[in-house]
Amino acid sequence: MTPTDEGGRVLRARRWAARHHSAVWWITLVNLTFGLVFTILVPPFRGPDERYQVDMVLRSDLGYVDPSERVVPTDEIRGVGSLAGPSVDPDLRYRPPMPFADAVPRPDRPTFGELAQEVVVRTDEVPRATNQLSQHPPLHYAAVGASARVVTLLTPAEAWSWDREVWLYRMHSVALVAALPLLASSAALVLGVGRTAAASAAAVMLLSPMHTFIGSVVNNDTTMMLGSAIAVVGALAHLRDGTARSAVVAAAGGAIAALSKSTGVTLIPWVGVVVAVVALRAWRQGRRREAVRNVVLAGSVSVIGAAWHITNLVRFGDPQPSGVVRRVFPDVEKPLWRFAENWFDRVSGTFWGRPATRTGVMLDPWITNGLTVVMALVVLAALWKGRRRAGVLLLTLLCVAQVALMLRTNLAQYLRSGELAALQGRYLYSLLVPLAALAAVAVWGWVGERWHAWVLAALAGVGVVFHVVLSWSMLVGYWGGDSVGARLDSLLAWSPLPHLGSLLLLSTPLLAVAGWGASLAVPRWRRR
């Protein structure tokens, strides 16, 4: 690369950064700091299915696991309850707040390898559990497992215990979702809204502290969220410029999402529709070679993304084969009103802010249910007055298709068994950036430009408050003690980090918000 080429790239990067409102960078930082706090504020294995998620990262070196293998070794995780203390036993459905007295001193905490040896010695067999590897696409677990092994190889062995390894996996999650507010602003800018209105898309991300929670525990949703955001920004850019690069970026994002979680598969046909629309436009304009090239390139990448599901469909007749046996209760009464009421409440809660109902770690239901209603109205508002209608229509199509697919799957399971299973708002997290971008379009179309800054400030302020409220409920619901100080002592006793490191991490959101406030106040003070 010549100095001229390098200088040109630097200049383009600066221009791209300058397109975003300064608030976007502060919102991204604030969101990141809350994610860092949640990595120690949430006890081990309190994330959704985190016990299985950690186990699959540890088992990622097994490679392809045949779905006909109903059980696989799970020795490391099974040892946690015996050696690490009963409060973190991953087999318990309900776990009360973590008491200070149960915390194992940091130097005495075993590694996962030691936990595995303890289980084999104690039971005289290798424990086995339901095969979860066969029903989950492999990319997330392979990537996290490989990078974690590299980190542990480059650091002293005595630095690692089971809880620090879980924390390392959580830090991978934080890194994967860190740029989501920035990508939301990018999507809004591509749709043609102004810088301040586009910044409101980043602020909308703060309204969902649940996505910050998911992005701070071990979960394959994180890679899917990043891939879907890249796919959306790339597809909207392709609508505008029609280049091969944007088509490949969109397809690559969809492939990452699909290879990380099956709820991301929807992105592959959606990107295909976008590329087909642009190709048809180019074909009619006589640019037929360009149209064919873009379709071939995007299609090739998309086939790679769908390869895991296609292989399973050919081999087993199911794109997502599962070792889990679903119960069937044909004689159980299954009123549709019960399903509708629970579906709306649970999906809304777990989309916006409900990590743990039993321990009260949640925003009030009227907030989460209200946010869902407001967001539906916002999408309609964006459709009514949205600029670049093709992009708005295609984003709405993606939202409707993803919600309809999840609703169909949940309803079929309910009618078959009577169970209200898998009612998880995180299964719609491929829609985080699309919904945020549509909200920015609604602000741009319905709110006068002089009010855009006020809307941005209101959204960001409410989002920060939601994060603070959820953080408080985590401290109360997850950590034992009769006072704030006692609960904080419990948290510090259990933390994988030294006390000073934990306290510094807990203070990062305050420092980020203070820095943002100073960046706004100092220039005004100087002008006086």
Side-chain angles (χ1 to χ4, degrees), residues 17 52 93 97 141 150 159 170 181 221 261 263 299 314 334 351 353 356 367 371 473 509 522:
Y52 297 110
R93 287 286 292 173
Y141 308 109
V150 170
R170 288 182 168 190
D221 285 289
K261 192 176 183 72
T263 54
V314 172
K334 305 155 189 170
F351 186 93
I367 294 177
L371 283 171
S473 71
V522 170

Side-chain angles (χ1 to χ4, degrees), residues 472-508:
W472 174 258
S473 71
M474 287 178 179
L475 184 64
V476 173
Y478 285 145
W479 302 102
D482 298 328
S483 64
V484 174
R487 291 188 176 99
L488 188 59
D489 285 340
S490 297
L491 186 157
L492 295 175
W494 279 97
S495 174
L497 305 179
H499 281 19
L500 180 59
S502 299
L503 290 172
L504 288 174
L505 200 63
L506 291 171
S507 66
T508 52

Side-chain angles (χ1 to χ4, degrees), residues 423-448:
L423 307 186
Q424 295 285 330
R426 62 191 172 95
Y427 295 160
L428 298 176
Y429 275 176
S430 59
L431 305 182
L432 279 171
V433 167
L435 289 172
L438 288 172
V441 170
V443 170
W444 179 256
W446 288 88
V447 180

Side-chain angles (χ1 to χ4, degrees), residues 20 31 67 95 221 245 270 313 326 363 425 470 476 497 500:
H20 294 278
N31 199 60
R95 282 162 286 168
D221 285 289
R245 181 173 64 178
W270 181 77
L313 185 62
R326 296 292 183 187
L363 299 178
L470 194 65
V476 173
L497 305 179
L500 180 59

Side-chain angles (χ1 to χ4, degrees), residues 45-132:
F45 308 115
R46 296 294 182 100
D49 299 325
E50 194 171 20
R51 168 258 176 94
Y52 297 110
Q53 297 288 329
V54 172
D55 190 47
M56 284 185 280
V57 172
L58 292 168
R59 301 267 69 78
S60 61
D61 56 353
L62 291 178
Y64 181 78
V65 178
D66 196 309
S68 62
E69 296 184 33
R70 295 289 300 280
V71 292
V72 291
T74 178
D75 41 12
E76 287 94 339
I77 301 300
R78 284 295 175 88
V80 171
S82 61
L83 280 188
S87 297
V88 290
D89 188 344
D91 285 325
L92 296 178
R93 287 286 292 173
Y94 169 74
R95 282 162 286 168
M98 308 270 282
F100 177 89
D102 279 2
V104 176
R106 197 166 288 105
D108 299 333
R109 296 175 189 177
T111 64
F112 273 124
E114 291 167 342
L115 292 173
Q117 293 172 7
E118 157 65 16
V119 171
V120 173
V121 169
R122 178 162 46 83
T123 62
D124 198 28
E125 64 180 6
V126 176
R128 304 175 76 81
T130 300
N131 178 8
Q132 293 268 337

Side-chain angles (χ1 to χ4, degrees), residues 325-512:
V325 178
R326 296 292 183 187
R327 296 175 293 176
V328 177
F329 302 102
D331 299 327
V332 174
E333 187 178 357
K334 305 155 189 170
L336 288 180
W337 64 264
R338 175 173 175 262
F339 172 81
E341 181 181 14
N342 279 273
W343 193 91
F344 179 79
D345 179 66
R346 291 194 194 179
V347 172
S348 297
T350 53
F351 186 93
W352 299 105
R354 190 183 297 174
T357 305
R358 292 182 178 91
T359 50
V361 182
M362 55 190 289
L363 299 178
D364 284 339
W366 69 267
I367 294 177
T368 54
N369 293 341
L371 283 171
T372 299
V373 173
V374 169
M375 186 55 68
L377 295 175
V378 164
V379 172
L380 293 176
L383 280 171
W384 188 265
K385 280 195 174 182
R387 301 181 62 180
R388 298 189 178 174
R389 292 194 61 81
V392 173
L393 286 171
L394 285 166
L395 286 182
T396 306
L397 172 65
L398 174 61
C399 294
V400 171
Q402 189 75 8
V403 172
L405 181 62
M406 179 178 169
L407 183 60
R408 175 186 175 276
T409 303
N410 294 153
L411 182 58
Q413 172 66 19
Y414 176 71
L415 294 177
R416 184 168 57 251
S417 68
E419 290 185 319
L420 294 165
L423 307 186
Q424 295 285 330
R426 62 191 172 95
Y427 295 160
L428 298 176
Y429 275 176
S430 59
L431 305 182
L432 279 171
V433 167
L435 289 172
L438 288 172
V441 170
V443 170
W444 179 256
W446 288 88
V447 180
E449 190 169 356
R450 64 175 181 167
W451 295 102
H452 288 177
W454 291 101
V455 172
L456 170 60
L459 289 172
V462 172
V464 169
V465 170
F466 284 173
H467 276 77
V468 171
V469 170
L470 194 65
S471 299
W472 174 258
S473 71
M474 287 178 179
L475 184 64
V476 173
Y478 285 145
W479 302 102
D482 298 328
S483 64
V484 174
R487 291 188 176 99
L488 188 59
D489 285 340
S490 297
L491 186 157
L492 295 175
W494 279 97
S495 174
L497 305 179
H499 281 19
L500 180 59
S502 299
L503 290 172
L504 288 174
L505 200 63
L506 291 171
S507 66
T508 52
L510 179 61
L511 296 175

